[in-house]
Amino acid sequence: MTDSKYFTTTKKGEIFELKAELNSDKKEKKKEAVKKVIASMTVGKDVSALFPDVVNCMQTDNLELKKLVYLYLMNYAKSQPDMAIMAVNTFVKDCEDPNPLIRALAVRTMGCIRVDKITEYLCEPLRKCLKDEDPYVRKTAAVCVAKLHDINAQLVEDQGFLDTLKDLISDSNPMVSHCHPPWDVSLSFLFAPLERMDPSICEQVTPRLSHANSAVVLSAVKVLMKFMEMLSKDLDYYGTLLKKLAPPLVTLLSAEPELQYVALRNINLIVQKRPEILKHEMKVFFVKYNDPIYVKLEKLDIMIRLASQANIAQVLAELKEYATEVDVDFVRKAVRAIGRCAIKVEQSAERCVSTLLDLIQTKVNYVVQEAIVVIKDIFRKYPNKYESVIATLCENLDSLDEPEARAAMIWIVGEYAERIDNADELLESFLEGFHDESTQVQLQLLTAIVKLFLKKPTETQELVQQVLSLATQDSDNPDLRDRGYIYWRLLSTDPVAAKEVVLAEKPLISEETDLIEPTLLDELICYIGTLASVYHKPPSAFVEGGRGVVHKSLPPRTASNESTESPETAPAGAPPGEQPDVIPAQGDLLGDLLNLDLGPPVSGPPLATSSVQMGAVDLLGGGLDSLIGGTNFVAPPTASVPANLGAPIGSGLSDLFDLTSGVGTLSGSYVAPRAVWLPAMKAKGLEISGTFTRQVGSISMDLQLTNKALQVMTDFAIQFNRNSFSLAPTAPLQVHAPLSPNQTVEISLPLSTVGSVMKMEPLNNLQVAVKNNIDVFYFSTLYPLHILFVEDGKMDRQMFLATWKDIPNENEAQFQIRDCPLNAEAASSKLQSSNIFTIAKRNVEGQDMLYQSLKLTNGIWVLAELRIQPGNPSCTVRLSLKCRAPEVSQHVYQAYETILKN
Amino acid sequence: MISQFFILSSKGDPLIYKDFRGDSGGRDVAELFYRKLTGLPGDESPVVMHHEGRHFIHIRHSGLYLVVTTSENVSPFGLLELLSRLSTLLGDYCGSLGEGTISRNVALVYELLDEVLDYGYVQTTSTEMLRNFIQTEAVVSKPFSLFDLSSVGLFGAETQQSKVAPSSAASRPVLSSRSDQSQKNEVFLDVVERLSVLLASNGSLLKVDVQGEIRLKSFLPSGSEMRIGLTEEFCVGKSELRGYGPGIRVDEVSFHSSVNLDEFESHRILRLQPPQGELTVMRYQLSDDLPSPLPFRLFPSVQWDRGSGRLQVYLKLRCDLPLKSQALNVRLHLPLPRGVISLSQELSSPEQKAELAEGALRWDLPRVQGGSQLSGLFQMDVPRTPGPPSHGLSTSAPPLGLGPASLSFELPRHTCSGLQVRFLRLSFRPCGNANPHKWVRHLSHSDAYVIRI
């Protein structure tokens, strides 16, 4: 006999007993039995076998018993449809019962039994109940229509139930017309005026800020947040609204922890959008000792976001206290928070560092480790300022057992190797257990030792050899191997370049590390008071099927006083023809911008041809010997090296370039087909057509000269007028042989961007003079802007976020690119080959959003958000561009269009 | 729109399970919820959770999990409010909310749920309205049992003054059984204040706030009018002035929507016709300016010998309540550094008790009289932290992990704001014999009373 059989028998016994009780004559006993059945049902026992017996109890005039039976039916009818049919007659009969409670009960239950067969029987009673004299029955019937609609929408329409429902909306009894009042708080009546930007809504909404129901309060907050988006910050009214928002938010924090948490998640969004609302309320976010941990962590996060010079002392004192509490998770977060304060509020950095040092002195393992991790960040934000603490950090080297802390410490040692006497010993000590370390630590160790070597080459050759061979030969981690090879090749070919690359100045880390992307934040603000605001994700990310999801965004900011300083910047998206015709002389706003960052030419050494071998040749000049002395540098073993080791030495470097600047630059930017620039008629028989190319960092003008005259042409020369982006030829126009009639010659003219600047109209206009033995001819042409997109135009993610936020909204320009059937992948790779780099990709409600950056030769950054809707039949791609020099947007958009469509 | 509602016991067993729309996963969902909840990493919040297109929102109440699931981007505030309203409703109908009462009243709970929510839409949550529909009677536990500790609730608890209502008096269902005519007409009115205080190690007050509420539990027939008179010097906001003294001042006050405030401005009288059951008549809060001195001051002194690991903590607790008042169930909780094992103690009076529990020192003082001062000297051994030994051997800098101290206590017959109920008048005249019983009680208790060391 098996176990299962054993169990069945017992169950049978129990069910048998219940069966007997259900069929008892005594009402009380029946009632008790049904209650028992329901209790068993709740704990998950299968009591479906009792279906007929329970249904038998239905025929009773005892309301309580009837309700119990209905309860049972609702649960099992679905799994026992045939049985449920047995009960239908009773349902129909009950719908006519003199007792309204029973009528409502029957109609409600029938709706819940999701069995198709029942729906046929349902319609007639339902129709009657919708017109019942009792409001309770009418209300229940109305909900039943909704249930039926979900089962069979067609049926509902055919039967005309929708019209009956419409009648009910104007029902005289509020119970019916308004059947779920307080919970369905949508404040929807308020949104109509909002769309009309009607200030009167504020008067309607503000009283709701002190409503007892927090759902109402949050809805009101949301409406006001949206409204403020349209207000200028200079208005007094703006300030008044700010003041009104704080108290209700604070009040929410005195609720139960669950509500508090949800409120805090919302406040976190609000604080990121408008920190000024709560800037004086720091105290309410102080952590209470008995707060649940999730409330504590959320409060901590908000404290940091509110931290400013004014309150930093208070915040730090709190954080220091938190760092000594018991809960490990919380303590760690508190220590991190101190680091974030240091990075956010410069004036406090010193105090933060000394607080962290105090904490390190406690020698509590996890505190020390967290402290070291954040001190690393502080070093990156304020280089060469707090290095005096390195000695203290080094004392704690041995106690670090978490990868993140070890990696941070190794980074510090490598970065400041020249100031740490025994840096080599320290790093060597890590090297012993190299293969037991996590990848993070291994990578960091590799880099740190290379740094050390570049700083102290004489003493550390052995060490660097050791780490390189550990990384490349003994490791099966591709990341580590690749990085090892890169360093190895770099060091063996060109230590000077290696130094430039490895010891390059690092970008400072941005202020806030975990800001929500601005566009997402704006969207989330629209979802305040919903689940989206708790998850900090747009609803499309978690609502299945996207049912009823409408993409929301904040209303566009109206032009306020702050944006009118320069009339020139305003019409960013306007077609160039509408711009004033007068071109200001050099030195105007744009000229200034264009002159920015003219430093070293990014395009690399000018070369007439473009082949893979170029680029590195010149860089290899000298320096190798001076650095390494006489040492033989062993090249990495050929066997395991990627194939292109055999290629000229330079390829190693261009490989490296490739890795840092993204893939595909070698193939070069998109090249437009040649166009006729100078027709023969205008130039006494000389026809010039051409196009612009950009390959591996060098721009050239590819010209085709055709002699359509009857005489030979000689003595060619070319000159450019000053132009917006300082384009100038770097070599003379060399036509080697005289050009005979009907002969055509093709020339590639290398260009640089170090000429002088003059703003042209349109911006990308280039005026060219060509001379030959016959005459001088002038023509002008428009060059596509993407030839100016440089190879290192990939912005750091954080930087991107910060910059996007920083550039005022007036500088944003929106465009549409029609008939572009590309998907995100294809678009991204197409754009990348023209040096438009995708930094992040996100899917929002079925649309792919690409966040991209590009940099012009004069250092102007352009940030882009490309929205692609794969399923969209019109194949329209939406592009929004942000740039500090909005004049370029139009041309960048044209470049986008050209690249994407070809 | 709500897909499911369920109640789980503290161990995760389903007590109640109701699927409103039949659109999601069935009853495994309850198990899934519990698994997800218990498997959650420490720094994530369990309040709102997400799993494959389904959202769980729950509150914990009396050791039970009340959970709703939904698949739409709804307002979590609305759902949380609904859950807490449901917990009150269940309390009203079943007597009190607890594992026992729920499992005894499964049928009643389902009946209630059917009326409150239909197809996942909220219909009504008013106790009064629901009375019309509910048929099942509550099964009440035995009147009073020492073991039934969960019933020692807010209303009529042990801390009652001279006239003590039996502690189970308030924990019975509002719906009297129709047959039982001996049902007592009773009204319980509580002024309860929660006090949170944060004191710096130098004794300076960093933060204080008081959350107060006036709660009413009425067993009178619905609609019988009553008037509650509050202290006449009761002022709302910083600027209002009343009476000649400093007044009883609160920052903000809100009332239940059924409260009639006609006489509030002139006489500080609240008029209402409460439905049967529990009701929060008024909520108020007050921060920073407390009219009376803080009930407790703690003067700690710590000696720590890093070398030997000997930690000596001397705590002096002064109670600044008026001489006639007393604090009950005072417990001081002091987290200790990791690994502390031994504890030796010298306490100033015999009724106190101190012990180590879960890495903390717990000092229990069952009764502390106003104006008195108590002290305790505790010695512990802290295992040495790894690393080089510190130079200064004996130091008063506390080791990591010590503190902050937190106090929990109850202050019967005391409100920190000073607010009192002057009178409670009923216009209800019972047809029968007995006059209704009125129980008015004032109580303050600690929410978070934290003293940094």
Side-chain angles (χ1 to χ4, degrees):
Chain A
M1 185 178 282
T2 62
D3 280 358
S4 66
K5 194 136 195 197
Y6 174 73
F7 279 117
T8 350
T9 46
T10 5
K11 234 184 197 166
K12 271 234 172 89
E14 197 182 322
I15 285 183
F16 186 76
E17 249 172 54
L18 283 170
K19 213 179 182 91
E21 284 176 39
L22 284 171
N23 291 317
S24 153
D25 296 336
K26 285 183 194 144
K27 219 176 262 172
E28 278 310 306
K29 205 157 196 183
K30 269 188 179 173
K31 211 194 292 178
E32 283 314 305
V34 181
K35 277 188 186 174
K36 275 186 207 161
V37 171
I38 290 168
S40 311
M41 197 170 82
T42 299
V43 294
K45 284 183 196 155
D46 182 15
V47 284
S48 57
L50 292 168
F51 202 94
D53 306 277
V54 178
V55 170
N56 273 339
C57 302
M58 229 173 144
Q59 318 273 3
T60 172
D61 48 2
N62 182 309
L63 190 52
E64 191 186 350
L65 181 56
K66 194 155 220 148
K67 282 195 115 173
L68 291 170
V69 174
Y70 271 107
L71 204 64
Y72 175 89
L73 282 179
M74 241 184 254
N75 208 4
Y76 277 115
K78 206 178 169 187
S79 55
Q80 314 260 322
D82 298 333
M83 297 279 201
I85 297 293
M86 286 169 39
V88 161
N89 280 334
T90 324
F91 283 136
V92 176
K93 212 173 92 201
D94 281 353
C95 286
E96 316 241 328
D97 197 280
N99 185 339
L101 285 185
I102 292 184
R103 294 200 297 273
L105 185 62
V107 96
R108 184 201 299 147
T109 311
M110 280 175 89
C112 290
I113 299 175
R114 322 182 107 249
V115 178
D116 279 336
K117 285 181 193 161
I118 280 199
T119 53
E120 306 164 19
Y121 299 92
L122 182 59
C123 293
E124 234 11 73
L126 180 58
R127 195 186 317 282
K128 268 185 207 149
C129 290
L130 280 169
K131 300 198 167 136
D132 200 283
E133 54 179 26
D134 188 286
Y136 176 66
V137 180
R138 288 203 298 276
K139 177 215 77 169
T140 312
V143 178
C144 187
V145 173
K147 297 173 186 169
L148 190 60
H149 188 268
D150 279 5
I151 304 172
N152 191 341
Q154 192 57 44
L155 184 71
V156 170
E157 277 181 42
D158 293 349
Q159 298 279 335
F161 285 138
L162 291 180
D163 299 327
T164 326
L165 270 192
K166 279 178 201 147
D167 296 343
L168 284 182
I169 292 176
S170 47
D171 200 298
S172 57
N173 189 307
M175 187 189 194
V176 183
S177 53
H178 220 258
C179 42
H180 27 93
W183 310 111
D184 194 26
V185 227
S186 58
L187 285 180
S188 55
F189 68 98
L190 292 170
F191 287 110
L194 179 66
E195 274 143 28
R196 297 199 308 268
M197 301 185 185
D198 184 347
S200 73
I201 63 160
C202 291
E203 272 80 63
Q204 294 177 39
V205 176
T206 32
R208 279 162 205 274
L209 288 172
S210 49
H211 198 279
N213 187 321
S214 51
V216 179
V217 175
L218 257 284
S219 294
V221 169
K222 170 167 72 182
V223 172
L224 292 180
M225 284 293 285
K226 282 175 135 179
F227 185 72
M228 285 167 84
E229 190 63 21
M230 299 183 290
L231 279 182
S232 160
K233 289 190 179 183
D234 312 330
L235 291 176
D236 288 346
Y237 194 51
Y238 181 87
T240 320
L241 276 183
L242 276 187
K243 283 200 196 88
K244 281 189 179 156
L245 279 172
L249 292 174
V250 171
T251 307
L252 288 176
L253 296 181
S254 58
E256 297 83 35
E258 288 95 356
L259 267 177
Q260 262 188 61
Y261 171 75
V262 175
L264 284 167
R265 289 295 281 177
N266 279 282
I267 290 173
N268 199 326
L269 290 177
I270 294 169
V271 161
Q272 286 189 50
K273 183 75 189 165
R274 302 198 182 281
E276 59 271 32
I277 293 177
L278 287 162
K279 66 179 174 194
H280 298 304
E281 303 293 342
M282 179 62 93
K283 262 191 183 177
V284 301
F285 298 106
F286 284 3
V287 170
K288 278 189 198 171
Y289 186 68
N290 52 350
D291 282 335
I293 179 77
Y294 53 87
V295 169
K296 283 186 178 178
L297 294 177
E298 209 50 43
K299 282 185 174 174
L300 201 58
D301 199 56
I302 295 172
M303 279 172 71
I304 305 302
R305 296 196 193 282
L306 286 176
S308 67
Q309 204 185 338
N311 56 25
I312 193 74
Q314 211 184 6
V315 173
L316 265 184
E318 281 294 306
L319 292 177
K320 198 175 172 184
E321 286 296 333
Y322 302 161
T324 62
E325 281 199 12
V326 218
D327 188 315
V328 178
D329 280 334
F330 182 56
V331 170
R332 283 175 182 276
K333 289 268 161 53
V335 177
R336 290 232 165 176
I338 296 176
R340 280 172 66 189
C341 277
I343 288 163
K344 190 165 180 223
V345 186
E346 183 160 5
Q347 294 81 356
S348 75
E350 191 157 348
R351 207 156 3 153
C352 293
V353 171
S354 81
T355 307
L356 288 169
L357 281 182
D358 286 351
L359 290 172
I360 287 177
Q361 295 304 349
T362 61
K363 305 278 179 206
V364 175
N365 200 284
Y366 54 88
V367 175
V368 174
Q369 311 213 38
E370 281 306 316
I372 285 180
V373 172
V374 297
I375 285 181
K376 179 205 73 180
D377 287 343
I378 295 178
F379 281 171
R380 287 210 54 188
K381 171 79 179 176
Y382 311 107
N384 306 317
K385 215 164 162 192
Y386 300 110
E387 282 70 22
S388 53
V389 308
I390 290 176
T392 321
L393 302 186
C394 289
E395 283 170 20
N396 293 286
L397 210 65
D398 301 332
S399 62
L400 309 179
D401 52 14
E402 288 161 24
E404 205 183 350
R406 285 173 83 87
M409 191 64 218
I410 292 170
W411 182 88
I412 292 172
V413 173
E415 191 65 17
Y416 298 98
E418 68 272 31
R419 310 191 194 189
I420 306 172
D421 295 335
N422 58 344
D424 49 343
E425 283 169 36
L426 294 178
L427 292 177
E428 197 169 0
S429 69
F430 282 104
L431 212 51
E432 280 161 22
F434 189 77
H435 290 296
D436 301 330
E437 299 281 4
S438 73
T439 315
Q440 189 186 12
V441 178
Q442 289 177 335
L443 287 169
Q444 203 55 260
L445 193 54
L446 173 62
T447 308
I449 292 181
V450 171
K451 281 183 194 163
L452 172 71
F453 170 70
L454 290 168
K455 288 175 177 176
K456 301 179 177 174
T458 44
E459 308 131 52
T460 55
Q461 277 164 33
E462 229 169 275
L463 195 59
V464 82
Q465 283 284 5
Q466 202 185 337
V467 78
L468 285 175
S469 74
L470 277 173
T472 54
Q473 287 164 23
D474 302 341
S475 167
D476 49 9
N477 181 323
D479 280 351
L480 186 63
R481 267 203 323 257
D482 284 358
R483 198 188 282 196
Y485 282 130
I486 290 166
Y487 284 138
W488 202 325
R489 256 178 264 152
L490 204 52
L491 291 173
S492 57
T493 52
D494 187 354
V496 174
K499 215 166 180 172
E500 271 171 28
V501 172
V502 179
L503 302 182
E505 210 164 286
K506 282 158 219 51
L508 297 183
I509 57 173
S510 62
E511 227 171 56
E512 298 224 20
T513 42
D514 46 3
L515 282 177
I516 294 175
E517 285 171 83
T519 43
L520 177 61
L521 180 62
D522 284 353
E523 191 182 346
L524 289 177
I525 291 286
C526 302
Y527 287 113
I528 281 179
T530 71
L531 287 174
S533 66
V534 179
Y535 296 129
H536 289 185
K537 284 180 193 154
S540 56
F542 58 81
V543 174
E544 254 179 7
R547 186 160 40 120
V549 173
V550 185
H551 178 77
K552 291 188 182 175
S553 57
L554 285 174
R557 242 189 182 301
T558 44
S560 56
N561 295 346
E562 52 199 316
S563 68
T564 46
E565 298 153 7
S566 150
E568 271 221 66
T569 53
E578 278 175 37
Q579 283 184 339
D581 271 349
V582 191
I583 299 172
Q586 224 174 327
D588 69 345
L589 182 72
L590 179 71
D592 281 346
L593 281 168
L594 291 176
N595 272 325
L596 276 179
D597 259 334
L598 264 179
V602 199
S603 47
L607 284 165
T609 52
S610 63
S611 73
V612 185
Q613 285 109 316
M614 55 164 259
V617 183
D618 276 3
L619 294 172
L620 288 176
L624 184 85
D625 296 340
S626 61
L627 192 73
I628 309 192
T631 340
N632 281 330
F633 224 88
V634 189
T638 341
S640 50
V641 178
N644 57 0
L645 184 75
I649 321 174
S651 69
L653 191 59
S654 48
D655 254 13
L656 186 66
F657 248 129
D658 239 20
L659 286 169
T660 50
S661 63
V663 236
T665 44
L666 283 183
S667 61
S669 302
Y670 164 69
V671 181
R674 266 193 212 100
V676 177
W677 288 341
L678 185 67
M681 296 162 57
K682 285 193 176 173
K684 300 182 177 165
L686 175 65
E687 186 186 77
I688 300 180
S689 59
T691 183
F692 292 92
T693 64
R694 180 187 186 92
Q695 271 184 314
V696 207
S698 54
I699 310 169
S700 51
M701 187 188 218
D702 290 345
L703 293 165
Q704 191 172 34
L705 308 179
T706 309
N707 184 353
K708 293 201 171 168
L710 296 171
Q711 61 183 117
V712 174
M713 294 180 180
T714 53
D715 301 326
F716 285 94
I718 193 165
Q719 209 169 5
F720 290 2
N721 192 2
R722 287 188 299 177
N723 53 69
S724 315
F725 291 94
S726 347
L727 283 173
T730 53
L733 185 65
Q734 285 176 334
V735 183
H736 295 294
L739 201 60
S740 348
N742 276 329
Q743 197 190 344
T744 298
V745 64
E746 288 189 27
I747 302 155
S748 179
L749 182 70
L751 306 182
S752 75
T753 51
V754 292
S756 45
V757 185
M758 183 170 80
K759 187 183 172 185
M760 298 300 290
E761 185 55 47
L763 208 59
N764 57 342
N765 192 7
L766 181 67
Q767 298 175 339
V768 183
V770 174
K771 183 190 96 80
N772 63 8
N773 56 339
I774 303 169
D775 205 341
V776 181
F777 311 103
Y778 299 94
F779 65 90
S780 69
T781 176
L782 300 174
Y783 48 88
L785 214 62
H786 69 259
I787 61 163
L788 302 170
F789 298 173
V790 300
E791 275 69 20
D792 62 345
K794 184 162 187 169
M795 201 177 241
D796 170 69
R797 240 182 125 92
Q798 298 298 337
M799 187 75 176
F800 182 87
L801 272 181
T803 316
W804 184 275
K805 212 182 167 192
D806 202 39
I807 297 179
N809 284 339
E810 302 84 68
N811 283 15
E812 186 170 350
Q814 311 254 4
F815 303 95
Q816 291 200 345
I817 301 171
R818 295 184 195 284
D819 303 312
C820 173
L822 294 176
N823 65 13
E825 231 52 77
S828 173
S829 73
K830 244 185 167 172
L831 292 167
Q832 173 132 328
S833 53
S834 292
N835 294 337
I836 298 173
F837 298 96
T838 303
I839 290 163
K841 190 183 147 184
R842 201 156 61 82
N843 189 290
V844 180
E845 292 146 24
Q847 301 186 8
D848 282 312
M849 315 270 281
L850 297 174
Y851 294 90
Q852 303 179 313
S853 74
L854 60 97
K855 190 166 117 185
L856 299 180
T857 45
N858 58 1
I860 292 182
W861 285 94
V862 180
L863 279 61
E865 185 196 63
L866 195 63
R867 192 175 293 176
I868 299 174
Q869 247 173 323
N872 182 351
S874 64
C875 297
T876 304
V877 172
R878 289 168 58 191
L879 174 69
S880 90
L881 295 172
K882 262 191 160 185
C883 178
R884 290 189 202 280
E887 288 91 326
V888 303
S889 301
Q890 177 69 25
H891 303 284
V892 172
Y893 153 61
Q894 283 163 1
Y896 259 93
E897 192 168 37
T898 328
I899 297 165
L900 286 175
K901 288 196 177 169
N902 287 288
Chain B
M1 201 180 346
I2 293 162
S3 299
Q4 289 149 316
F5 170 82
F6 45 89
I7 302 181
L8 302 185
S9 74
S10 53
K11 293 191 188 74
D13 306 320
L15 303 175
I16 294 294
Y17 171 84
K18 178 94 191 156
D19 190 337
F20 291 104
R21 300 184 62 84
D23 59 352
S24 47
R27 46 188 319 128
D28 299 342
V29 172
E31 202 193 320
L32 177 77
F33 163 80
Y34 191 71
R35 252 189 291 129
K36 208 163 157 58
L37 184 80
T38 43
L40 211 64
D43 54 351
E44 271 179 43
S45 155
V47 179
V48 177
M49 291 188 300
H50 176 220
H51 185 84
E52 288 173 5
R54 183 181 293 116
H55 310 281
F56 298 99
I57 292 146
H58 85 282
I59 62 168
R60 278 206 79 168
H61 201 288
S62 318
L64 302 176
Y65 298 97
L66 280 76
V67 193
V68 291
T69 74
T70 175
S71 56
E72 293 184 359
N73 186 24
V74 294
S75 161
F77 291 100
L79 294 183
L80 287 169
E81 296 254 5
L82 172 67
L83 286 174
S84 80
R85 179 66 200 140
L86 269 175
S87 67
T88 318
L89 263 180
L90 295 176
D92 278 351
Y93 276 89
C94 305
S96 65
L97 187 57
E99 203 174 321
T101 45
I102 293 295
S103 49
R104 271 193 297 273
N105 290 294
V106 172
L108 172 61
V109 175
Y110 280 124
E111 203 184 345
L112 266 172
L113 284 174
D114 260 355
E115 299 297 342
V116 171
L117 288 155
D118 193 0
Y119 206 45
Y121 297 106
V122 179
Q123 304 296 307
T124 176
T125 56
S126 132
T127 309
E128 212 35 48
M129 185 93 89
L130 287 166
R131 277 169 65 89
N132 303 320
F133 312 131
I134 301 303
Q135 302 298 319
T136 317
E137 303 230 352
V139 181
V140 192
S141 59
K142 279 158 265 153
F144 178 69
S145 144
L146 264 182
F147 300 105
D148 195 3
L149 287 172
S150 64
S151 67
V152 183
L154 191 58
F155 294 101
E158 300 284 3
T159 50
Q160 196 87 13
Q161 37 207 354
S162 48
K163 252 173 103 187
V164 177
S167 55
S168 64
S171 60
R172 58 185 161 93
V174 183
L175 285 189
S176 54
S177 70
R178 275 161 283 274
S179 53
D180 184 8
Q181 288 303 323
S182 67
Q183 182 69 47
K184 268 195 250 171
N185 289 314
E186 283 181 304
V187 180
F188 296 83
L189 188 68
D190 280 349
V191 181
V192 184
E193 294 188 348
R194 287 183 295 152
L195 177 67
S196 13
V197 168
L198 179 59
L199 287 160
S201 48
N202 62 6
S204 64
L205 182 61
L206 293 176
K207 190 183 145 185
V208 54
D209 68 71
V210 174
Q211 312 278 346
E213 54 186 26
I214 299 183
R215 292 170 68 84
L216 177 78
K217 185 162 184 173
S218 162
F219 290 92
L220 301 179
S222 292
S224 37
E225 190 179 82
M226 59 180 73
R227 293 163 80 224
I228 302 170
L230 305 178
T231 321
E232 289 193 68
E233 296 84 22
F234 184 66
C235 319
V236 181
K238 300 266 182 234
S239 50
E240 198 181 13
L241 257 182
R242 259 170 201 270
Y244 302 101
I248 307 296
R249 189 177 298 279
V250 300
D251 296 340
E252 251 189 272
V253 61
S254 63
F255 300 94
H256 189 268
S257 54
S258 68
V259 177
N260 180 333
L261 296 172
D262 290 350
E263 291 177 83
F264 182 71
E265 272 310 304
S266 50
H267 298 102
R268 294 306 190 212
I269 292 172
L270 310 175
R271 235 179 42 218
L272 68 161
Q273 301 183 336
Q276 282 196 340
E278 259 184 79
L279 175 77
T280 302
V281 178
M282 176 176 123
R283 272 182 224 272
Y284 55 96
Q285 57 190 39
L286 152 74
S287 51
D288 294 336
D289 271 333
L290 218 57
S292 51
L294 288 177
F296 286 103
R297 288 275 177 178
L298 182 74
F299 304 93
S301 76
V302 178
Q303 278 298 314
W304 187 31
D305 187 343
R306 269 182 196 248
S308 66
R310 169 61 52 92
L311 175 66
Q312 183 174 308
V313 180
Y314 178 69
L315 299 174
K316 195 167 77 179
L317 186 69
R318 194 180 75 204
C319 179
D320 291 338
L321 288 173
L323 291 179
K324 281 181 184 166
S325 304
Q326 59 179 2
L328 297 179
N329 303 330
V330 182
R331 168 175 286 180
L332 183 138
H333 180 91
L334 178 70
L336 297 174
R338 250 150 228 276
V340 166
I341 16 165
S342 61
L343 170 76
S344 71
Q345 45 182 298
E346 288 170 40
L347 303 172
S348 60
S349 71
E351 56 171 11
Q352 306 168 24
K353 242 179 27 202
E355 57 186 343
L356 286 177
E358 291 158 7
L361 168 70
R362 213 168 67 194
W363 184 20
D364 285 319
L365 310 116
R367 201 172 287 268
V368 179
Q369 201 67 35
S372 67
Q373 188 162 301
L374 299 157
S375 64
L377 177 69
F378 307 95
Q379 286 193 334
M380 289 144 278
D381 287 315
V382 183
R384 241 168 293 177
T385 42
S390 180
H391 302 296
L393 276 179
S394 191
T395 160
S396 59
L400 196 95
L402 180 71
S406 61
L407 277 171
S408 63
F409 50 82
E410 281 168 47
L411 310 175
R413 276 177 290 167
H414 182 88
T415 52
C416 298
S417 64
L419 178 68
Q420 302 277 331
V421 172
R422 271 185 299 143
F423 59 79
L424 168 63
R425 286 188 196 134
L426 307 175
S427 58
F428 169 68
R429 288 280 162 266
C431 41
N433 37 15
N435 265 332
H437 288 272
K438 299 180 287 186
W439 307 93
V440 178
R441 190 169 64 123
H442 298 89
L443 172 77
S444 294
H445 61 94
S446 55
D447 182 15
Y449 199 99
V450 175
I451 304 120
R452 290 182 173 158
I453 304 279

